[in-house]
């Protein structure tokens, strides 16, 4: 043996002694060979012979599943696993041994590995196919092949180790974020009848927290908020780990993963070409791609809508009309504009709700008639659904279609004239607001032209809250009588009153008490305590409809009772719903229509709207006119202006709202 050859062997032997270059673990080419520690050829042969004898004497079969478990383990990578235990040739009697619970319990280890991999695949699969509406979340929704998963698998198989890991983590985090947005879509569609707007709707999450506090209490609301935050973080982390896990398994089983991806891709293309469907949806799904495209388009429309709406709001048909030419047909009248929370068309037409509400409206119409009052009613299509009442209020009062928070901020920051401000401009009325739902500063009162706003803190209520509602409607009306309507003024009142007792979750509901016993509201403590619990009502589809109907009956009766007790020949009442109740009550395909009625003692008041073709009484029929809520302001100002019928208000009713950037794509 030459000196050069001996030197080379000696160098290689030194490397073997330090453990460099020794790896184990499965790879596409098979397990790598171990390099023996040798000093020279003779020593190497002796060591191998001794080791062989030892192994032949002591060798036992590999524990079942040990190889499979090693292949499934998330922490190992075939390119990086290094042996640091005893080396062949250094201790002939000590063969390398696997340590830890995996070696001790191979069957359990293999089961855990398969379970984690299966759950990871399921998590990714659900994220790619999760619908954005609760009614669509059913087994058939997940019986499809997502093309995004096929493309993702193909990309991960093509990347080197480090790039694959980075892409897997980023893709998983993106899937987690997408899942969070999809869950927000489900919630918004369930409560507001539209998807979540990623530009405008984050502020509404604060309102949701406040609603929870008012409905279920501060402690429960805090726990719920913490749970939501933990869920959001968990989705981001778990989804990233899930995609990383799947990518590692594919890398250790490249041949199987490649064949599987190719088969799924072929099946997807064939099903897409043939139009194969499952439960009415394409088996070859591309819903995630379509959803991302829809979100991007909604963001673009939202930003464009912001610029365009500002221009629309700057144009006002009655903006420059002098005060002495406004509302001349109502001079000397005490005007009351009242919004009843969640009073929608379903209350009058849904068979499960309507009997009690219809009876209340018919009886109220008769009672008004006996007292010398008359009424006419029709339908308005609200700009909102299920919630966000302020959007309906502003749409009705300003004559602008305000269906998102950005439009609301734009219009209230300007000087577009509302109906209430028109009364203020005339100088012939004192204008006030009764806002029991407002619990903090409300600068919008100035925009609406209200001389004074009485919020929940100024109404003197000392009784209990009724879930979200700060006080019963009867008390709010009694406070209005005490603070404003019952006092002597040098000019009539124009008041905007928001009634909140019919706000979800519709439990507990107040009961009517004699007006003389209302007092400071303490009388309601026993009524509130004896009422139903929100959780018992809101989660029951039958009870929630029943209690919703009862709440509308209470609000309507409170309002009509007030008019009959405290009204006079100069009283004019305009009342309407702000929006339909949420889908749990109104149904998945309900309209956005709400009833509207005008009540007056003076016949001349109703004669001015005879050309509207509204129905007589408080309950509009199925064929009564349906207008967009935004058309009411101009129609009203025209009808009660100096030249009824000759104004610039639109002449034809509209039954369809404009396209909103908040609309959500279904999948």
């Amino acid at each position: 043996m030459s000196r050069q050859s001996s030197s080379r062997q000696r160098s290689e032997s030194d490397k073997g002694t330090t453990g460099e270059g020794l790896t184990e673990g499965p790879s596409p080419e098979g397990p790598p060979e171990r390099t023996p520690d040798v000093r020279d050829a003779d020593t190497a042969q002796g060591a191998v012979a001794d080791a062989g004898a030892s192994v032949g004497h002591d060798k036992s079969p590999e524990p079942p599943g040990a190889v499979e478990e090693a292949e499934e383990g998330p922490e190992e990578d075939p390119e990086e696993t290094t042996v640091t235990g005893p080396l062949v040739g250094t201790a002939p009697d000590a063969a390398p041994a696997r340590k830890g619970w995996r070696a001790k319990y191979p069957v359990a280890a293999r089961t855990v590995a398969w379970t984690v991999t299966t759950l990871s695949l399921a998590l990714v699969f659900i994220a790619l196919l999760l619908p954005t509406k609760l009614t669509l979340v059913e087994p058939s929704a997940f019986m499809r092949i997502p093309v995004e998963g096929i493309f993702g698998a193909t990309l991960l198989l093509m990347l080197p180790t480090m790039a694959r890991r980075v892409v897997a983590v980023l893709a998983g985090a993106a899937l987690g974020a997408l899942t969070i947005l999809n869950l927000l879509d489900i919630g918004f569609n369930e409560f507001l009848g539209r998807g979540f707007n990623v530009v405008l709707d984050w502020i509404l999450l604060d309102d949701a927290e406040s609603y929870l506090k008012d409905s279920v209490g501060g402690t429960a609301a805090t726990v719920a908020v913490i749970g939501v935050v933990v869920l959001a973080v968990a989705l981001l982390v778990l989804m990233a780990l899930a995609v990383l896990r799947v990518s590692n398994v594919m890398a250790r089983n490249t041949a199987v993963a490649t064949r599987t991806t190719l088969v799924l891709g072929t099946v997807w293309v064939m099903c897409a070409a043939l139009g194969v469907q499952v439960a009415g949806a394409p088996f070859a799904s591309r819903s995630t791609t379509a959803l991302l495209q829809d979100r991007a388009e909604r963001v673009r429309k939202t930003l464009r809508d912001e610029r365009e709406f500002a221009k629309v709001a700057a144009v006002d048909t009655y903006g420059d009309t002098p005060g002495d030419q406004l509302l001349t047909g109502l001079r000397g009248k005490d005007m009351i504009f009242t919004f009843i929370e969640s009073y929608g068309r379903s209350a009058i037409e849904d068979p499960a709700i309507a009997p009690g509400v219809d009876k209340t409206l018919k009886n109220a119409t008769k009672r008004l008639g006996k007292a010398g009052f008359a009424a006419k009613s029709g339908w308005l299509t609200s700009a909102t659904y299920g919630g966000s009442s302020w959007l309906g209020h502003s749409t009705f009062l300003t004559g602008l279609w305000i269906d998102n928070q950005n439009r609301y901020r734009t219009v209230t920051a300007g000087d577009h004239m509302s109906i209430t401000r028109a009364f203020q401009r005339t100088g012939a009325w004192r204008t006030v607001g009764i806002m029991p739902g407002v619990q903090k500063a409300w600068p919008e009162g100035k925009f609406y032209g209200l001389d004074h706003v009485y919020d929940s803190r100024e109404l003197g209520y000392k009784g209990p809250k009724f879930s979200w509602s700060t006080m019963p409607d009867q008390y709010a009306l009694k406070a209005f009588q005490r603070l404003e309507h019952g006092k002597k003024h040098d000019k009539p009142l124009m008041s905007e009153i928001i009634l909140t007792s019919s706000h979800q979750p519709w439990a507990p509901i107040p009961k009517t008490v004699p007006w003389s016993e209302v007092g400071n509201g303490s009388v309601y403590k026993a009524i509130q305590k004896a009422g139903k619990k929100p959780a018992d009502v809101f989660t029951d589809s039958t009870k929630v409809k029943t209690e919703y109907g009862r709440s509308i009956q209470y609000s309507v009766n409170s309002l009509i009772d007030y008019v009959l007790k405290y009204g006079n020949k100069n009283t004019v009442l305009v009342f309407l719903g702000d929006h339909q109740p949420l889908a749990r009550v109104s149904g998945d395909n309900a309209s956005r229509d709400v009833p509207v009625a005008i009540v007056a003692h003076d016949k001349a008041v109703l004669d001015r709207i005879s050309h509207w073709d509204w129905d007589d009484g408080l309950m509009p029929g199925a064929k009564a006119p349906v207008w967009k809520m935004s058309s009411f302001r101009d129609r009203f100002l025209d009808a009660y202006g100096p030249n009824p019928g000759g104004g610039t208000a639109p002449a034809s009713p509209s039954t369809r709202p404009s396209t909103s950037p908040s609309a959500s794509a279904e999948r």
Side-chain angles (χ1 to χ4, degrees):
M1 180 181 299
S2 67
R3 183 175 298 175
Q4 182 178 2
S5 175
S6 177
S7 176
R8 183 182 301 109
Q9 290 179 352
R10 205 173 280 117
S11 174
E12 292 173 354
S13 176
D14 292 340
K15 291 182 179 180
T17 302
T18 60
E20 293 178 10
L22 299 184
T23 61
E24 75 174 332
S27 70
E29 294 77 24
E33 298 179 355
R34 299 179 183 269
T35 303
D37 181 13
V38 294
R39 297 298 179 183
D40 53 40
D42 295 336
T43 304
Q45 291 175 359
V48 171
D50 291 342
S54 176
V55 171
H57 180 73
D58 299 328
K59 181 178 180 181
S60 59
E62 182 78 1
V67 174
E68 291 84 349
E69 190 278 333
E71 292 179 353
E72 292 295 332
E75 71 286 358
E76 298 179 1
D77 190 276
E79 299 174 13
E80 297 182 2
T81 306
T82 302
V83 174
T84 59
L87 303 177
V88 175
T90 60
D93 295 331
R98 298 178 60 85
K99 297 182 179 180
W101 74 274
R102 290 183 177 84
K104 190 175 182 180
Y105 306 103
V107 175
R110 186 170 65 248
T111 301
V112 170
W114 275 102
T115 301
V116 172
T117 301
T118 301
L119 291 176
S120 297
L121 281 169
L123 195 60
V124 173
F125 194 72
I126 291 172
L128 291 172
L129 293 175
L130 182 66
T132 57
K133 282 194 171 184
L134 188 61
T135 54
L136 300 178
V137 180
E138 51 189 17
S140 61
F142 302 98
M143 297 173 61
R144 298 183 287 167
I145 301 177
V147 69
E148 300 83 7
I150 297 173
F151 276 110
T154 303
L155 175 62
L156 292 174
L157 286 169
M158 295 171 60
L159 294 173
T161 302
M162 185 56 66
R164 169 176 58 79
R165 290 174 174 172
V166 172
V167 170
V169 171
L170 292 178
L175 271 182
L178 177 65
T179 303
I180 292 172
L181 291 178
N182 288 346
L183 292 174
L184 286 171
D185 270 340
I186 290 175
F188 270 63
N189 277 314
E190 186 72 9
F191 282 86
L192 302 181
R194 62 174 179 81
F196 179 78
N197 188 308
V198 296
V199 178
L200 304 175
D201 287 340
W202 296 105
I203 190 175
L204 297 183
L205 299 182
D206 182 60
D207 292 327
E209 180 187 6
S210 299
Y211 168 72
L212 280 176
K213 287 181 179 179
D214 293 332
S215 299
V216 300
T219 302
T222 300
V223 172
V225 170
I226 293 174
V228 169
V229 173
V230 170
L231 175 62
V233 174
L235 280 173
L236 294 173
V237 174
L238 291 178
M239 203 68 74
L241 293 176
V243 177
L244 181 61
R245 170 79 180 189
V246 172
S247 73
N248 285 339
V249 172
M250 290 193 303
R252 288 192 290 269
N253 301 272
T254 305
V256 175
T258 301
R259 288 194 299 269
T260 302
T261 302
L262 181 61
V263 169
L264 289 175
T266 303
V267 172
W268 191 95
V269 171
M270 292 178 62
C271 291
L274 296 174
V276 178
Q277 293 191 340
V278 176
F283 183 68
S285 169
R286 56 181 299 273
S287 58
T288 298
T289 301
L291 186 61
L292 289 174
Q293 291 174 342
D294 176 71
R295 290 194 191 281
E297 179 64 16
R298 279 191 281 156
V299 169
R300 187 185 65 82
K301 286 184 177 180
T302 298
L303 297 177
R304 184 182 63 187
D305 179 74
E306 181 178 357
R307 297 188 299 270
E308 294 180 350
F309 182 74
K311 297 177 182 178
V312 173
V315 178
D316 191 346
T317 306
Y318 286 94
D320 296 327
T321 304
D324 59 1
Q325 296 182 30
L326 288 170
L327 302 164
T328 55
L330 292 172
R331 297 301 169 94
K333 305 299 182 185
D334 277 328
M335 297 296 306
I336 304 175
F337 290 89
T338 303
F339 293 94
I340 295 180
E341 172 66 38
S342 300
Y343 178 32
R345 187 161 191 157
S346 298
I348 293 177
E349 295 185 346
D350 189 315
I353 307 169
V357 175
D358 290 356
K359 182 179 179 181
T360 296
L361 292 173
K362 290 177 181 177
N363 288 340
T365 299
K366 292 180 180 178
R367 292 166 59 207
L368 287 169
K370 291 181 179 179
F373 289 90
K376 286 186 175 294
S377 57
W379 302 105
L380 299 176
T381 302
S382 179
T384 185
Y385 169 92
S388 300
S389 301
W390 59 92
L391 302 182
H393 302 167
S394 56
T395 295
F396 176 81
L397 294 172
T398 65
L400 296 171
W401 189 256
I402 304 174
D403 60 349
N404 62 57
Q405 189 65 19
N406 190 60
R407 288 189 169 202
Y408 179 78
R409 287 196 300 262
T410 298
V411 70
T412 54
D415 57 359
H416 195 91
M417 191 176 69
S418 64
I419 292 176
T420 46
R421 181 182 286 187
F423 279 92
Q424 185 186 55
R425 179 181 293 185
T426 65
W429 281 271
R430 171 172 167 77
T431 59
V432 299
I434 305 296
M435 311 287 177
V438 175
Q439 303 179 51
K440 53 187 177 182
W442 191 59
E444 290 91 331
K446 182 178 180 181
F447 164 78
Y448 285 114
L450 300 175
D451 296 330
H452 189 84
V453 173
Y454 295 90
D455 62 24
S456 60
R457 299 165 298 180
E458 296 185 65
L459 294 174
Y461 183 64
K462 302 300 182 182
K465 294 181 66 173
F466 283 76
S467 192
W468 183 88
S469 180
T470 58
M471 64 192 69
D473 292 344
Q474 186 183 12
Y475 179 88
L477 291 165
K478 180 67 173 181
F480 167 60
Q481 178 66 20
R482 170 172 50 85
L483 295 170
E484 287 286 349
H485 191 254
K487 294 181 177 181
K488 292 184 178 181
H489 297 285
D490 56 357
K491 51 188 175 183
L493 279 176
M494 191 292 307
S495 52
E496 179 188 356
I497 302 176
I498 312 297
L499 300 182
T500 62
S501 290
S502 52
H503 194 287
Q504 61 187 25
W506 304 297
I509 300 172
K511 293 182 179 179
T512 302
V513 300
W515 290 94
S516 60
E517 297 179 10
V518 171
N520 64 2
S522 299
V523 67
Y524 294 106
K525 290 181 180 180
I527 296 174
Q528 187 266 354
K529 187 176 182 179
K532 294 181 171 64
K533 304 298 182 183
D536 297 336
V537 170
F538 199 68
T539 56
D540 188 303
S541 58
T542 300
K543 288 182 180 179
V544 74
K545 287 195 172 200
T546 300
E547 297 307 306
Y548 163 74
R550 290 182 60 236
S551 73
I552 295 298
Q553 295 174 51
Y554 170 78
S555 294
V556 170
N557 276 327
S558 296
L559 182 60
I560 299 305
D561 286 349
Y562 177 83
V563 171
L564 292 174
K565 182 172 182 62
Y566 297 108
N568 54 50
K569 63 180 182 180
N570 288 320
T571 299
V572 176
L573 170 67
V574 180
F575 78 97
L576 68 153
D578 45 21
H579 55 72
Q580 282 265 53
L582 51 75
R584 184 186 299 273
V585 174
S586 60
D588 295 327
N589 300 311
S591 71
R592 293 193 173 198
D593 297 346
V594 298
V596 57
I598 298 181
V599 178
H601 195 283
D602 186 351
K603 182 176 179 296
V605 172
L606 297 182
D607 286 345
R608 282 190 171 240
I609 62 169
S610 59
H611 59 288
W612 288 4
D613 295 325
W614 282 12
D615 290 348
D616 292 331
L618 299 179
M619 189 175 74
K623 296 182 179 180
V626 181
W627 303 340
K628 285 181 65 173
M629 189 176 278
S630 56
S631 71
F632 183 85
R633 187 204 73 160
D634 284 2
R635 292 176 182 274
F636 184 83
L637 294 179
D638 173 56
Y640 294 105
N643 184 28
T648 57
S652 60
S654 172
T655 60
R656 293 289 181 267
S658 61
T659 302
S660 167
S662 301
S664 175
E666 299 178 18
R667 69 175 188 178

